[in-house]
Amino acid sequence: MWVAAQAVLLLLFAFAPRIGPPWSSPDIVQFAGWALAALGTVLLASSALKLGRSLTPFPRPLPEAELVTTGAYRLVRHPIYCAVIIGALGLSLATESWLRLGLTASLFVFFDMKARREEIWLQEKFPAYEAYKARVKKLIPWIY
């Protein structure tokens, strides 16, 4: 269910039509958007590589999974989710799309819910997860 819902949200985001009048934003907003999209892409790739064989699209950790707390995982417990949100925000700004901005908010809510479920399983599998959870924020470094 989680993976299917995630796929639907990401497809909606990817193919969101431009709705409403164009923004009258300065070029710096579009530039910042493209920079955030690039940052999200790099963070996504590096976080996925750091997980290695523990990577799965499903919230339940694989039986052979190991707890990763280094790299981007030192700053946020779910850097892949964070990366998708950053990338979506960036693309929303770069394309000046209100619809994509709304879908980015939906992605944030979705990933927050998915992370809550995932963390129940992570705590069951990894005794050290509770201490990790106490010192590292969930989705936004140093904030949330």
Side-chain angles (χ1 to χ4, degrees):
M1 176 195 117
W2 289 105
V3 175
Q6 182 174 317
V8 167
L9 273 173
L10 291 172
L11 285 170
L12 285 171
F13 183 88
F15 296 105
R18 180 172 255 198
I19 296 175
W23 298 356
S24 58
S25 62
D27 290 341
I28 190 73
V29 173
Q30 284 186 311
F31 177 79
W34 288 118
L36 285 172
L39 174 65
T41 302
V42 169
L43 180 60
L44 178 82
S46 67
S47 300
L49 287 171
K50 193 71 171 171
L51 273 181
R53 291 185 170 171
S54 297
L55 181 63
T56 177
F58 302 102
R60 186 183 295 273
L62 296 170
E64 66 276 8
E66 296 179 15
L67 181 60
V68 176
T69 60
T70 59
Y73 292 87
R74 287 178 297 136
L75 303 174
V76 65
R77 296 191 308 265
H78 300 279
I80 292 175
Y81 301 162
C82 176
V84 173
I85 294 164
I86 289 170
L89 176 61
L91 200 54
S92 299
L93 294 174
T95 60
E96 300 180 327
S97 172
W98 286 110
L99 180 56
R100 280 192 172 138
L101 207 52
L103 288 167
T104 298
S106 297
L107 282 167
F108 180 87
V109 170
F110 171 80
F111 283 127
D112 186 48
M113 291 170 39
K114 184 178 178 186
R116 284 182 198 179
R117 182 64 196 119
E118 185 173 345
E119 289 190 335
I120 292 169
W121 287 320
L122 289 167
Q123 285 176 272
E124 290 172 1
K125 182 166 182 60
F126 304 110
Y129 197 82
E130 192 65 40
Y132 172 62
K133 186 177 172 182
R135 72 177 187 277
V136 177
K137 298 295 184 185
K138 187 187 334 184
L139 289 172
I140 304 172
W142 308 289
I143 297 171
Y144 178 75

